[in-house]
Protein backbone atom coordinates (compact mmCIF):
# COMPACT_ATOMS: atom_id res chain seq x y z
CA UNK A 1 0.00 0.00 0.00
CA UNK A 2 2.88 2.38 0.78
CA UNK A 3 4.45 1.58 -2.56
CA UNK A 4 1.15 2.37 -4.31
CA UNK A 5 0.92 5.77 -2.57
CA UNK A 6 4.53 6.51 -3.44
CA UNK A 7 3.92 5.60 -7.07
CA UNK A 8 0.80 7.78 -7.18
CA UNK A 9 2.72 10.65 -5.60
CA UNK A 10 5.50 10.34 -8.14
CA UNK A 11 2.96 10.15 -10.96
CA UNK A 12 1.26 13.30 -9.69
CA UNK A 13 4.63 15.06 -9.43
CA UNK A 14 5.56 14.08 -12.97
CA UNK A 15 2.20 15.34 -14.27
CA UNK A 16 2.48 18.67 -12.48
CA UNK A 17 6.11 18.95 -13.50
CA UNK A 18 5.42 18.18 -17.16
CA UNK A 19 2.42 20.52 -17.46
CA UNK A 20 3.87 23.46 -15.51
CA UNK A 21 4.14 26.56 -17.78
CA UNK A 22 7.33 27.60 -15.97
CA UNK A 23 10.60 26.07 -17.22
CA UNK A 24 11.68 23.36 -14.75
CA UNK A 25 14.25 20.63 -14.54
CA UNK A 26 15.67 18.06 -12.14
CA UNK A 27 19.38 17.35 -11.92
CA UNK A 28 21.67 15.04 -9.98
CA UNK A 29 23.37 16.92 -7.19
CA UNK A 30 26.61 14.96 -7.51
CA UNK A 31 27.07 14.57 -11.25
CA UNK A 32 25.11 17.70 -12.25
CA UNK A 33 23.52 15.81 -15.17
CA UNK A 34 19.96 16.67 -16.08
CA UNK A 35 17.60 13.90 -14.96
CA UNK A 36 14.39 15.40 -16.33
CA UNK A 37 13.12 18.60 -18.00
CA UNK A 38 9.58 19.78 -18.72
CA UNK A 39 8.20 20.97 -22.05
CA UNK A 40 8.37 24.61 -20.97
CA UNK A 41 12.16 24.23 -20.49
CA UNK A 42 12.46 22.57 -23.90
CA UNK A 43 10.54 25.42 -25.54
CA UNK A 44 12.39 28.13 -23.64
CA UNK A 45 15.95 26.90 -24.09
CA UNK A 46 15.58 25.33 -27.55
CA UNK A 47 17.16 21.96 -26.69
CA UNK A 48 15.25 18.75 -27.25
CA UNK A 49 14.55 16.64 -24.15
CA UNK A 50 16.95 14.00 -25.44
CA UNK A 51 19.69 16.63 -25.74
CA UNK A 52 19.06 17.90 -22.22
CA UNK A 53 19.46 14.42 -20.78
CA UNK A 54 22.99 14.16 -22.23
CA UNK A 55 24.06 17.51 -20.76
CA UNK A 56 25.19 18.81 -17.40
CA UNK A 57 23.55 21.89 -15.90
CA UNK A 58 26.69 24.11 -16.19
CA UNK A 59 26.46 23.78 -19.98
CA UNK A 60 23.50 26.20 -20.05
CA UNK A 61 25.41 28.73 -17.93
CA UNK A 62 27.38 31.66 -19.37
CA UNK A 63 31.09 30.70 -19.40
CA UNK A 64 31.82 33.31 -16.73
CA UNK A 65 29.30 31.66 -14.40
CA UNK A 66 30.36 28.06 -14.99
CA UNK A 67 33.23 28.35 -12.55
CA UNK A 68 30.58 28.79 -9.88
CA UNK A 69 29.09 25.39 -10.69
CA UNK A 70 29.68 24.28 -7.12
CA UNK A 71 26.77 26.52 -6.18
CA UNK A 72 24.58 23.93 -7.88
CA UNK A 73 25.30 21.64 -4.97
CA UNK A 74 23.89 24.13 -2.50
CA UNK A 75 21.20 23.14 -0.09
CA UNK A 76 17.59 24.19 -0.39
CA UNK A 77 16.91 27.86 0.35
CA UNK A 78 20.45 29.11 -0.32
CA UNK A 79 21.32 31.85 -2.83
CA UNK A 80 17.81 32.09 -4.27
CA UNK A 81 18.05 35.86 -4.93
CA UNK A 82 21.02 35.52 -7.26
CA UNK A 83 20.58 36.45 -10.94
CA UNK A 84 22.28 34.10 -13.39
CA UNK A 85 23.18 34.33 -17.06
CA UNK A 86 22.09 31.36 -19.18
CA UNK A 87 22.76 30.64 -22.84
CA UNK A 88 19.96 29.17 -24.96
CA UNK A 89 20.52 26.91 -27.96
CA UNK A 90 20.61 29.76 -30.54
CA UNK A 91 23.39 31.52 -28.62
CA UNK A 92 21.34 34.24 -26.97
CA UNK A 93 22.04 35.13 -23.36
CA UNK A 94 19.08 35.32 -21.00
CA UNK A 95 18.94 36.42 -17.37
CA UNK A 96 17.18 34.14 -14.90
CA UNK A 97 16.34 33.73 -11.25
CA UNK A 98 16.27 30.18 -9.88
CA UNK A 99 14.21 28.58 -7.12
CA UNK A 100 15.42 25.14 -6.03
CA UNK A 101 14.14 22.34 -3.81
CA UNK A 102 15.85 19.18 -2.62
CA UNK A 103 14.17 15.91 -3.49
CA UNK A 104 14.82 12.24 -4.12
CA UNK A 105 14.28 11.39 -7.77
CA UNK A 106 14.51 7.87 -9.09
CA UNK A 107 16.49 6.98 -6.03
CA UNK A 108 19.04 9.77 -6.47
CA UNK A 109 19.93 12.84 -4.42
CA UNK A 110 18.50 15.49 -6.75
CA UNK A 111 17.49 19.11 -6.99
CA UNK A 112 14.31 20.50 -8.56
CA UNK A 113 14.83 23.90 -10.22
CA UNK A 114 12.17 26.36 -11.37
CA UNK A 115 13.41 29.03 -13.80
CA UNK A 116 12.08 32.60 -13.96
CA UNK A 117 13.26 34.49 -17.05
CA UNK A 118 13.84 38.20 -16.15
CA UNK A 119 15.57 39.22 -19.41
CA UNK A 120 12.83 41.69 -20.42
CA UNK A 121 12.72 43.06 -16.89
CA UNK A 122 16.48 43.58 -16.89
CA UNK A 123 16.31 45.28 -20.31
CA UNK A 124 13.56 47.62 -19.08
CA UNK A 125 15.54 48.42 -15.94
CA UNK A 126 18.62 49.12 -18.05
CA UNK A 127 16.58 51.37 -20.35
CA UNK A 128 15.07 53.29 -17.44
CA UNK A 129 18.49 53.63 -15.83
CA UNK A 130 19.94 54.93 -19.10
CA UNK A 131 17.10 57.43 -19.50
CA UNK A 132 17.54 58.61 -15.94
CA UNK A 133 21.20 59.46 -16.53
CA UNK A 134 21.32 60.54 -20.18
CA UNK A 135 20.02 63.45 -22.22
CA UNK A 136 17.26 62.20 -24.57
CA UNK A 137 18.23 64.56 -27.42
CA UNK A 138 22.00 64.07 -27.67
CA UNK A 139 22.46 60.79 -25.79
CA UNK A 140 25.12 62.46 -23.64
CA UNK A 141 25.31 62.03 -19.86
CA UNK A 142 22.97 64.44 -18.07
CA UNK A 143 23.62 66.63 -15.04
CA UNK A 144 23.01 63.81 -12.53
CA UNK A 145 25.49 61.40 -14.15
CA UNK A 146 28.01 64.18 -14.75
CA UNK A 147 27.92 65.19 -11.09
CA UNK A 148 28.39 61.54 -10.09
CA UNK A 149 31.46 61.19 -12.32
CA UNK A 150 32.96 64.42 -11.00
CA UNK A 151 32.49 63.18 -7.42
CA UNK A 152 34.19 59.89 -8.35
CA UNK A 153 37.09 61.74 -9.99
CA UNK A 154 37.51 64.03 -6.98
CA UNK A 155 37.62 61.03 -4.65
CA UNK A 156 40.41 59.36 -6.58
CA UNK A 157 42.63 62.16 -7.87
CA UNK A 158 44.81 64.96 -6.62
CA UNK A 159 42.77 68.21 -6.55
CA UNK A 160 44.74 69.90 -9.35
CA UNK A 161 44.03 67.03 -11.70
CA UNK A 162 40.23 67.37 -11.93
CA UNK A 163 38.96 70.01 -14.36
CA UNK A 164 35.35 70.97 -15.11
CA UNK A 165 34.39 73.10 -18.11
CA UNK A 166 30.98 74.81 -18.21
CA UNK A 167 30.00 75.58 -21.82
CA UNK A 168 27.17 77.92 -22.83
CA UNK A 169 26.39 78.54 -26.51
CA UNK A 170 26.37 82.24 -27.43
CA UNK A 171 23.11 83.68 -28.77
CA UNK A 172 21.50 80.25 -29.06
CA UNK A 173 18.08 81.74 -28.30
CA UNK A 174 18.36 83.96 -31.37
CA UNK A 175 19.09 80.94 -33.57
CA UNK A 176 16.30 78.96 -31.93
CA UNK A 177 13.77 81.77 -32.39
CA UNK A 178 14.78 82.60 -35.96
CA UNK A 179 14.97 79.07 -37.40
CA UNK A 180 12.57 77.26 -35.09
CA UNK A 181 13.00 74.74 -32.29
CA UNK A 182 13.52 71.87 -34.74
CA UNK A 183 16.64 73.54 -36.12
CA UNK A 184 17.65 74.44 -32.58
CA UNK A 185 17.57 70.77 -31.62
CA UNK A 186 19.56 69.90 -34.76
CA UNK A 187 22.17 72.45 -33.72
CA UNK A 188 22.47 70.99 -30.22
CA UNK A 189 22.94 67.49 -31.66
CA UNK A 190 25.52 68.79 -34.14
CA UNK A 191 27.41 70.64 -31.39
CA UNK A 192 27.53 67.44 -29.31
CA UNK A 193 28.92 65.50 -32.29
CA UNK A 194 31.54 68.15 -33.00
CA UNK A 195 32.70 68.48 -29.39
CA UNK A 196 33.13 64.74 -28.74
CA UNK A 197 36.27 64.33 -30.92
CA UNK A 198 37.99 67.18 -29.05
CA UNK A 199 38.11 65.04 -25.89
CA UNK A 200 40.20 62.09 -24.76
CA UNK A 201 38.72 58.66 -24.11
CA UNK A 202 38.52 59.16 -20.34
CA UNK A 203 36.91 62.61 -20.56
CA UNK A 204 33.17 63.10 -20.08
CA UNK A 205 31.02 65.39 -22.22
CA UNK A 206 27.54 66.08 -20.81
CA UNK A 207 24.54 68.18 -21.66
CA UNK A 208 23.28 69.90 -18.54
CA UNK A 209 20.12 71.28 -20.17
CA UNK A 210 19.11 73.90 -22.74
CA UNK A 211 22.23 75.11 -24.53
CA UNK A 212 24.53 74.25 -21.62
CA UNK A 213 27.19 71.55 -21.89
CA UNK A 214 29.93 70.47 -19.50
CA UNK A 215 33.21 68.57 -19.74
CA UNK A 216 35.07 66.62 -17.08
CA UNK A 217 38.74 66.01 -17.80
CA UNK A 218 41.31 64.45 -15.48
CA UNK A 219 44.98 65.13 -16.07
CA UNK A 220 47.81 67.53 -15.43
CA UNK A 221 47.28 71.16 -14.43
CA UNK A 222 46.27 73.28 -17.38
CA UNK A 223 44.55 70.50 -19.34
CA UNK A 224 41.20 72.24 -18.84
CA UNK A 225 42.43 75.28 -20.76
CA UNK A 226 43.76 73.18 -23.64
CA UNK A 227 40.39 71.44 -23.92
CA UNK A 228 38.63 74.83 -23.91
CA UNK A 229 40.83 76.02 -26.76
CA UNK A 230 40.06 72.89 -28.79
CA UNK A 231 36.33 73.37 -28.22
CA UNK A 232 36.41 76.99 -29.39
CA UNK A 233 38.33 75.91 -32.49
CA UNK A 234 35.87 73.07 -33.17
CA UNK A 235 32.95 75.52 -33.18
CA UNK A 236 34.60 77.93 -35.59
CA UNK A 237 33.09 76.52 -38.82
CA UNK A 238 29.36 77.04 -39.57
CA UNK A 239 26.83 74.28 -38.93
CA UNK A 240 24.72 73.12 -41.88
CA UNK A 241 21.11 72.70 -40.71
CA UNK A 242 17.87 72.07 -42.56
CA UNK A 243 16.85 75.68 -41.85
CA UNK A 244 20.12 77.11 -43.20
CA UNK A 245 23.76 77.53 -42.26
CA UNK A 246 24.35 78.77 -38.71
CA UNK A 247 27.48 80.00 -36.95
CA UNK A 248 27.62 79.63 -33.20
CA UNK A 249 30.33 80.28 -30.63
CA UNK A 250 30.57 79.44 -26.94
CA UNK A 251 31.51 81.02 -23.64
CA UNK A 252 33.45 78.58 -21.45
CA UNK A 253 34.26 78.62 -17.76
CA UNK A 254 37.10 76.43 -16.46
CA UNK A 255 37.47 75.37 -12.83
CA UNK A 256 39.70 72.86 -11.08
CA UNK A 257 40.29 71.83 -7.50
CA UNK A 258 38.86 69.83 -4.64
CA UNK A 259 35.61 70.01 -2.69
CA UNK A 260 32.34 68.74 -4.10
CA UNK A 261 31.12 68.32 -7.64
CA UNK A 262 28.45 70.95 -7.02
CA UNK A 263 31.05 73.51 -5.93
CA UNK A 264 33.24 72.77 -8.93
CA UNK A 265 30.28 73.14 -11.30
CA UNK A 266 29.31 76.39 -9.60
CA UNK A 267 32.82 77.79 -9.97
CA UNK A 268 32.93 76.83 -13.65
CA UNK A 269 29.50 78.43 -14.14
CA UNK A 270 30.71 81.67 -12.54
CA UNK A 271 33.80 81.65 -14.80
CA UNK A 272 31.54 81.09 -17.83
CA UNK A 273 29.60 84.25 -17.02
CA UNK A 274 32.94 86.02 -16.82
CA UNK A 275 33.68 84.84 -20.37
CA UNK A 276 30.30 86.14 -21.56
CA UNK A 277 30.87 89.51 -19.90
CA UNK A 278 34.30 89.72 -21.53
CA UNK A 279 32.81 89.45 -25.02
CA UNK A 280 31.82 85.80 -25.61
CA UNK A 281 33.59 83.23 -27.84
CA UNK A 282 36.31 82.76 -25.23
CA UNK A 283 37.10 80.96 -22.00
CA UNK A 284 37.89 82.19 -18.52
CA UNK A 285 39.56 80.29 -15.68
CA UNK A 286 37.82 80.58 -12.32
CA UNK A 287 39.34 82.90 -9.78
CA UNK A 288 37.96 83.20 -6.21
CA UNK A 289 37.52 86.93 -6.82
CA UNK A 290 34.80 85.99 -9.31
CA UNK A 291 32.58 84.94 -6.44
CA UNK A 292 32.55 88.56 -5.34
CA UNK A 293 31.44 89.59 -8.84
CA UNK A 294 28.77 86.90 -8.78
CA UNK A 295 27.58 88.14 -5.41
CA UNK A 296 27.44 91.69 -6.79
CA UNK A 297 25.27 90.47 -9.66
CA UNK A 298 22.80 88.96 -7.23
CA UNK A 299 22.89 92.21 -5.29
CA UNK A 300 22.12 94.20 -8.45
CA UNK A 301 19.23 91.87 -9.29
CA UNK A 302 17.72 92.55 -5.88
CA UNK A 303 18.38 96.30 -5.85
CA UNK A 304 17.10 96.86 -9.40
CA UNK A 305 13.62 95.83 -8.30
CA UNK A 306 13.51 98.88 -5.98
CA UNK A 307 15.55 101.30 -8.11
CA UNK A 308 12.51 103.20 -9.42
CA UNK A 309 10.84 103.77 -6.06
CA UNK A 310 14.18 104.77 -4.54
CA UNK A 311 14.70 107.37 -7.32
CA UNK A 312 18.01 105.84 -8.41
CA UNK A 313 17.19 105.76 -12.15
CA UNK A 314 17.56 108.79 -14.37
CA UNK A 315 17.20 109.46 -18.05
CA UNK A 316 19.82 111.34 -20.08
CA UNK A 317 19.09 112.65 -23.56
CA UNK A 318 21.37 112.45 -26.57
CA UNK A 319 20.67 114.89 -29.41
CA UNK A 320 19.75 113.76 -32.91
CA UNK A 321 21.16 116.24 -35.43
CA UNK A 322 20.23 116.86 -39.07
CA UNK A 323 23.64 116.69 -40.73
CA UNK A 324 22.88 119.10 -43.59
CA UNK A 325 21.78 121.91 -41.27
CA UNK A 326 23.40 120.96 -37.95
CA UNK A 327 19.99 121.54 -36.36
CA UNK A 328 18.86 119.44 -33.39
CA UNK A 329 15.71 117.64 -34.54
CA UNK A 330 15.16 115.30 -31.63
CA UNK A 331 16.61 113.25 -28.80
CA UNK A 332 17.21 109.68 -27.75
CA UNK A 333 16.46 108.67 -24.15
CA UNK A 334 19.38 106.94 -22.40
CA UNK A 335 18.84 105.21 -19.06
CA UNK A 336 21.36 105.41 -16.23
CA UNK A 337 21.36 103.87 -12.76
CA UNK A 338 22.92 105.81 -9.88
CA UNK A 339 23.52 103.11 -7.30
CA UNK A 340 24.18 104.38 -3.75
CA UNK A 341 27.07 101.95 -3.27
CA UNK A 342 28.41 101.14 -6.75
CA UNK A 343 27.97 104.59 -8.32
CA UNK A 344 26.86 105.00 -11.93
CA UNK A 345 26.15 101.59 -13.44
CA UNK A 346 26.37 101.19 -17.20
CA UNK A 347 23.29 99.91 -19.06
CA UNK A 348 25.57 97.22 -20.51
CA UNK A 349 25.77 95.81 -16.98
CA UNK A 350 22.22 96.16 -15.69
CA UNK A 351 19.98 95.96 -18.78
CA UNK A 352 20.81 92.23 -19.36
CA UNK A 353 19.96 91.60 -15.70
CA UNK A 354 16.70 93.51 -16.07
CA UNK A 355 15.78 91.46 -19.16
CA UNK A 356 16.62 88.12 -17.55
CA UNK A 357 14.64 88.88 -14.39
CA UNK A 358 11.72 90.59 -16.14
CA UNK A 359 12.34 93.87 -14.30
CA UNK A 360 12.81 95.49 -17.71
CA UNK A 361 9.02 95.65 -18.14
CA UNK A 362 8.52 98.03 -15.20
CA UNK A 363 11.76 99.92 -15.92
CA UNK A 364 10.85 100.31 -19.60
CA UNK A 365 7.39 101.62 -18.70
CA UNK A 366 8.97 104.24 -16.41
CA UNK A 367 11.51 105.33 -19.06
CA UNK A 368 8.76 105.69 -21.67
CA UNK A 369 6.72 107.90 -19.36
CA UNK A 370 9.72 110.07 -18.45
CA UNK A 371 10.77 110.47 -22.09
CA UNK A 372 7.27 111.38 -23.28
CA UNK A 373 6.94 113.98 -20.53
CA UNK A 374 10.32 115.52 -21.41
CA UNK A 375 9.56 115.51 -25.14
CA UNK A 376 6.29 117.39 -24.60
CA UNK A 377 8.02 119.91 -22.32
CA UNK A 378 10.72 120.68 -24.92
CA UNK A 379 8.18 120.84 -27.75
CA UNK A 380 6.21 123.46 -25.81
CA UNK A 381 9.36 125.45 -24.93
CA UNK A 382 10.80 125.27 -28.47
CA UNK A 383 7.91 125.30 -30.99
CA UNK A 384 8.89 124.61 -34.60
CA UNK A 385 7.17 123.44 -37.82
CA UNK A 386 8.51 119.92 -37.33
CA UNK A 387 8.24 119.18 -33.56
CA UNK A 388 11.23 117.74 -31.73
CA UNK A 389 11.19 113.94 -31.69
CA UNK A 390 11.97 111.46 -28.93
CA UNK A 391 13.42 107.95 -29.38
CA UNK A 392 13.05 105.28 -26.70
CA UNK A 393 14.58 101.79 -26.67
CA UNK A 394 12.17 98.86 -26.33
CA UNK A 395 13.25 95.37 -25.26
CA UNK A 396 11.98 92.04 -26.50
CA UNK A 397 10.44 91.36 -23.08
CA UNK A 398 8.33 94.51 -23.35
CA UNK A 399 7.05 93.53 -26.79
CA UNK A 400 5.98 90.17 -25.38
CA UNK A 401 3.63 91.92 -22.95
CA UNK A 402 0.03 91.89 -24.19
CA UNK A 403 -0.66 95.36 -22.70
CA UNK A 404 2.43 97.06 -24.14
CA UNK A 405 0.59 98.82 -27.01
CA UNK A 406 -1.99 100.12 -24.52
CA UNK A 407 0.83 101.44 -22.31
CA UNK A 408 2.36 103.32 -25.24
CA UNK A 409 -1.00 104.85 -26.17
CA UNK A 410 -1.63 105.77 -22.54
CA UNK A 411 1.74 107.58 -22.28
CA UNK A 412 1.00 109.52 -25.49
CA UNK A 413 -2.43 110.53 -24.21
CA UNK A 414 -1.22 111.40 -20.73
CA UNK A 415 1.41 113.82 -22.02
CA UNK A 416 -0.56 115.05 -25.08
CA UNK A 417 2.27 113.93 -27.35
CA UNK A 418 1.82 113.46 -31.08
CA UNK A 419 2.52 109.80 -31.97
CA UNK A 420 4.60 110.77 -35.01
CA UNK A 421 7.15 112.44 -32.71
CA UNK A 422 7.78 109.22 -30.74
CA UNK A 423 10.20 106.62 -32.13
CA UNK A 424 10.47 103.16 -30.60
CA UNK A 425 13.84 101.51 -31.20
CA UNK A 426 14.10 97.73 -31.39
CA UNK A 427 17.08 95.48 -32.03
CA UNK A 428 17.51 93.09 -34.95
CA UNK A 429 17.15 90.07 -32.66
CA UNK A 430 13.58 91.13 -31.83
CA UNK A 431 12.65 90.92 -35.50
CA UNK A 432 14.08 87.41 -35.69
CA UNK A 433 11.43 86.21 -33.24
CA UNK A 434 9.19 83.94 -35.31
CA UNK A 435 6.21 84.23 -32.96
CA UNK A 436 3.09 85.77 -34.43
CA UNK A 437 2.65 87.91 -31.30
CA UNK A 438 5.74 90.04 -31.94
CA UNK A 439 4.80 90.72 -35.55
CA UNK A 440 1.25 91.62 -34.57
CA UNK A 441 2.55 93.86 -31.78
CA UNK A 442 4.69 95.84 -34.22
CA UNK A 443 1.74 96.29 -36.58
CA UNK A 444 -0.44 97.47 -33.68
CA UNK A 445 2.25 99.95 -32.61
CA UNK A 446 2.43 101.29 -36.15
CA UNK A 447 -1.33 101.86 -36.11
CA UNK A 448 -0.94 104.21 -33.14
CA UNK A 449 1.15 106.48 -35.39
CA UNK A 450 4.54 106.01 -33.69
CA UNK A 451 7.67 105.39 -35.77
CA UNK A 452 9.76 102.22 -35.55
CA UNK A 453 13.54 102.05 -35.83
CA UNK A 454 16.03 99.17 -36.01
CA UNK A 455 18.83 99.86 -33.57
CA UNK A 456 22.48 98.88 -34.12
CA UNK A 457 21.80 97.69 -37.66
CA UNK A 458 24.51 95.49 -39.18
CA UNK A 459 25.94 94.06 -35.95
CA UNK A 460 23.62 91.08 -35.55
CA UNK A 461 21.83 88.61 -37.82
CA UNK A 462 20.99 91.18 -40.49
CA UNK A 463 18.40 90.12 -43.03
CA UNK A 464 16.72 92.06 -45.82
CA UNK A 465 13.60 89.94 -45.45
CA UNK A 466 12.48 91.49 -42.20
CA UNK A 467 13.15 95.01 -43.52
CA UNK A 468 10.36 94.28 -46.01
CA UNK A 469 8.23 92.19 -43.66
CA UNK A 470 7.87 94.68 -40.80
CA UNK A 471 6.74 98.34 -40.85
CA UNK A 472 10.17 99.86 -40.20
CA UNK A 473 10.70 103.62 -40.68
CA UNK A 474 14.27 104.23 -39.57
CA UNK A 475 17.56 102.37 -39.93
CA UNK A 476 20.13 103.19 -37.23
CA UNK A 477 23.70 102.52 -38.37
CA UNK A 478 25.81 101.22 -35.50
CA UNK A 479 28.82 103.23 -34.33
CA UNK A 480 31.01 100.29 -35.36
CA UNK A 481 30.53 101.44 -38.97
CA UNK A 482 30.71 105.14 -38.12
CA UNK A 483 34.13 104.50 -36.60
CA UNK A 484 35.37 103.16 -39.94
CA UNK A 485 35.80 106.84 -40.82
CA UNK A 486 39.04 107.79 -39.10
CA UNK A 487 39.88 110.96 -41.02
CA UNK A 488 39.71 112.62 -44.45
CA UNK A 489 39.27 110.33 -47.43
CA UNK A 490 36.64 108.34 -49.28
CA UNK A 491 33.64 106.84 -47.48
CA UNK A 492 34.37 103.21 -46.49
CA UNK A 493 32.56 100.88 -48.96
CA UNK A 494 30.74 98.96 -46.22
CA UNK A 495 29.30 102.14 -44.76
CA UNK A 496 28.39 103.42 -48.21
CA UNK A 497 26.59 100.13 -48.88
CA UNK A 498 24.50 100.44 -45.72
CA UNK A 499 23.46 103.98 -46.64
CA UNK A 500 22.57 102.87 -50.17
CA UNK A 501 20.52 99.99 -48.79
CA UNK A 502 18.53 102.30 -46.53
CA UNK A 503 17.86 104.75 -49.34
CA UNK A 504 16.70 102.00 -51.71
CA UNK A 505 14.23 100.77 -49.10
CA UNK A 506 12.91 104.28 -48.51
CA UNK A 507 14.03 104.40 -44.87
CA UNK A 508 15.31 107.34 -42.89
CA UNK A 509 18.89 106.87 -41.68
CA UNK A 510 20.49 107.71 -38.35
CA UNK A 511 24.21 107.17 -37.77
CA UNK A 512 25.31 106.62 -34.19
CA UNK A 513 28.38 108.01 -32.45
CA UNK A 514 29.47 110.86 -34.77
CA UNK A 515 32.26 112.59 -32.84
CA UNK A 516 34.60 113.84 -35.58
CA UNK A 517 34.11 116.53 -38.22
CA UNK A 518 35.28 114.07 -40.90
CA UNK A 519 32.59 111.60 -39.83
CA UNK A 520 29.89 114.25 -40.05
CA UNK A 521 31.08 115.54 -43.43
CA UNK A 522 31.41 112.15 -45.10
CA UNK A 523 28.06 110.90 -43.78
Amino acid sequence: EAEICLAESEANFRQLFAQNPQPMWVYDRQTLFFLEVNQAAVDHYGYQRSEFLTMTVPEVWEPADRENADILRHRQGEDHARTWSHVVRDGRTIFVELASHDLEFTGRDAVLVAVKDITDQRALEAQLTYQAFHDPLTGLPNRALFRERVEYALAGRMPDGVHVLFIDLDRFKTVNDSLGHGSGDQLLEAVACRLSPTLRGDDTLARLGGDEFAVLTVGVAGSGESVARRILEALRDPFILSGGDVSVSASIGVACGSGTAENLLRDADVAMYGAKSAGRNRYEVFDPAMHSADHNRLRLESDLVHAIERHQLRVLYQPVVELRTDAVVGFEALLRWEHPEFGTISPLDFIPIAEETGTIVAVGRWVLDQACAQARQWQMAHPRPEPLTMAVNVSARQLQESLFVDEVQSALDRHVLSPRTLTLEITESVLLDQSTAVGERLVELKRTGVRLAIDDFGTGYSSLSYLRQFPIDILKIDRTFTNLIEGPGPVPPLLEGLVFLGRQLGLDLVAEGIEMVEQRDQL
Side-chain angles (χ1 to χ4, degrees):
E1 187 173 326
E3 291 179 359
I4 294 174
C5 290
L6 183 62
E8 289 179 350
S9 176
E10 184 172 335
N12 290 334
F13 165 77
R14 286 184 176 277
Q15 183 177 5
L16 291 173
F17 175 84
Q19 296 177 355
N20 199 304
Q22 185 174 8
M24 303 179 75
W25 60 59
V26 178
Y27 68 89
D28 185 302
R29 183 190 301 280
Q30 297 305 317
T31 66
L32 302 182
F33 272 95
F34 286 101
L35 300 177
E36 189 58 87
V37 294
N38 68 358
Q39 187 60 41
V42 169
D43 295 339
H44 203 77
Y45 282 79
Y47 295 101
Q48 296 298 319
R49 177 176 177 274
S50 58
E51 290 180 282
F52 264 120
L53 299 184
T54 65
M55 298 166 55
T56 62
V57 177
E59 290 181 64
V60 300
W61 252 251
E62 272 278 9
D65 283 341
R66 289 176 188 172
E67 62 190 39
N68 296 320
D70 60 328
I71 199 71
L72 298 171
R73 298 182 174 88
H74 69 276
R75 290 296 171 183
Q76 180 176 331
E78 295 180 2
D79 205 59
H80 289 181
R82 174 75 180 268
T83 298
W84 300 95
S85 301
H86 282 183
V87 180
V88 298
R89 200 177 198 286
D90 64 9
R92 289 181 298 110
T93 298
I94 62 174
F95 297 97
V96 298
E97 290 178 351
L98 306 178
S100 61
H101 298 274
D102 298 335
L103 81 163
E104 183 178 327
F105 187 83
T106 64
R108 302 187 189 186
D109 182 12
V111 179
L112 169 67
V113 175
V115 179
K116 180 182 179 182
D117 190 329
I118 60 169
T119 305
D120 291 343
Q121 177 183 330
R122 284 282 296 268
L124 178 59
E125 290 173 354
Q127 180 182 357
L128 293 175
T129 300
Y130 182 87
Q131 292 174 350
F133 291 101
H134 289 80
D135 171 51
L137 178 64
T138 63
L140 296 175
N142 61 13
R143 181 183 289 269
L145 181 55
F146 186 77
R147 186 190 298 112
E148 185 177 293
R149 291 186 179 178
V150 175
E151 292 283 12
Y152 181 79
L154 288 170
R157 293 279 181 165
M158 294 295 290
D160 290 343
V162 179
H163 305 257
V164 167
L165 285 71
F166 197 107
I167 306 162
D168 187 271
L169 302 183
D170 297 328
R171 307 185 193 280
F172 174 75
K173 184 179 184 303
T174 301
V175 176
N176 212 24
D177 291 344
S178 62
L179 299 180
H181 291 285
S183 293
D185 287 347
Q186 283 185 30
L187 177 59
L188 292 173
E189 291 180 275
V191 167
C193 291
R194 195 176 288 186
L195 294 189
S196 294
T198 67
L199 309 179
R200 301 171 306 174
D202 294 337
D203 296 339
T204 296
L205 171 65
R207 182 185 175 212
L208 304 184
D211 61 341
E212 295 176 343
F213 294 82
V215 170
L216 165 66
T217 181
V218 179
V220 297
S223 63
E225 293 184 62
S226 62
V227 173
R229 286 191 290 270
R230 291 200 299 271
I231 289 174
L232 293 175
E233 181 63 30
L235 296 176
R236 193 173 301 280
D237 293 333
F239 290 86
I240 302 174
L241 309 179
S242 59
D245 293 359
V246 169
S247 294
V248 66
S249 60
S251 297
I252 305 174
V254 182
C256 68
S258 57
T260 65
E262 204 58 46
N263 287 344
L264 206 52
L265 262 171
R266 179 202 61 198
D267 292 348
D269 189 15
V270 169
M272 182 275 293
Y273 274 108
K276 278 202 181 295
S277 300
R280 298 184 172 91
N281 193 27
R282 57 182 292 135
Y283 72 87
E284 291 287 340
V285 179
F286 174 77
D287 184 285
M290 290 179 175
H291 271 309
S292 177
D294 198 42
H295 175 76
N296 289 342
R297 178 185 171 86
L298 293 174
R299 170 77 182 278
L300 291 180
E301 287 183 13
S302 176
D303 290 353
L304 188 55
V305 175
H306 307 287
I308 297 176
E309 63 190 60
R310 293 172 180 170
H311 307 291
Q312 296 173 0
L313 299 181
R314 63 191 181 107
V315 181
L316 304 182
Y317 298 93
Q318 179 169 266
V320 179
V321 177
E322 167 58 54
L323 295 187
R324 292 189 179 88
T325 64
D326 282 344
V328 173
V329 295
F331 296 88
E332 178 182 355
L334 304 175
L335 180 63
R336 295 294 183 268
W337 182 10
E338 298 294 342
H339 194 279
E341 182 177 340
F342 302 125
T344 302
I345 301 177
S346 167
L348 296 176
D349 294 326
F350 73 83
I351 291 298
I353 296 175
E355 290 180 337
E356 289 175 18
T357 60
T359 313
I360 192 66
V361 175
V363 170
R365 187 186 307 120
W366 179 83
V367 172
L368 178 64
D369 188 75
Q370 294 290 306
C372 287
Q374 185 63 76
R376 182 56 179 166
Q377 180 181 331
W378 280 335
Q379 288 174 1
M380 296 292 288
H382 305 281
R384 42 180 291 164
E386 289 294 329
L388 292 168
T389 61
M390 179 62 72
V392 179
N393 289 283
V394 174
S395 77
R397 289 293 293 268
Q398 288 175 275
L399 282 175
Q400 292 167 2
E401 295 292 313
S402 59
L403 297 178
F404 179 67
V405 177
D406 292 337
E407 291 173 357
V408 171
Q409 187 62 62
S410 177
L412 292 170
D413 295 342
R414 186 163 52 253
H415 300 292
V416 196
L417 190 68
S418 171
R420 65 188 180 89
T421 64
L422 176 64
T423 298
L424 299 180
E425 298 186 358
I426 54 182
T427 61
E428 292 178 283
S429 60
V430 172
L431 299 182
L432 288 172
D433 192 326
Q434 296 293 299
S435 66
T436 305
V438 170
E440 291 178 348
R441 201 87 74 239
L442 293 176
V443 172
E444 291 173 11
L445 285 170
K446 195 72 180 108
R447 287 181 187 143
T448 67
V450 302
R451 307 185 79 203
L452 300 177
I454 298 181
D455 197 10
D456 302 331
F457 182 75
T459 60
Y461 295 85
S462 304
S463 172
L464 297 181
S465 62
Y466 60 62
L467 293 179
R468 297 190 303 266
Q469 181 180 352
F470 296 105
I472 306 300
D473 302 290
I474 301 169
L475 211 57
K476 293 191 68 180
I477 299 174
D478 187 74
R479 68 176 62 243
T480 303
F481 303 105
T482 304
N483 290 338
L484 293 175
I485 303 174
E486 299 178 341
V491 177
L494 184 56
L495 184 58
E496 191 171 35
L498 289 174
V499 174
F500 177 77
L501 172 64
R503 294 296 186 212
Q504 290 296 108
L505 294 173
L507 303 176
D508 289 339
L509 293 165
V510 174
E512 297 180 336
I514 299 176
E515 297 180 353
M516 297 168 54
V517 173
E518 290 85 359
Q519 291 172 335
R520 181 199 64 186
D521 291 345
Q522 291 190 36
L523 285 164

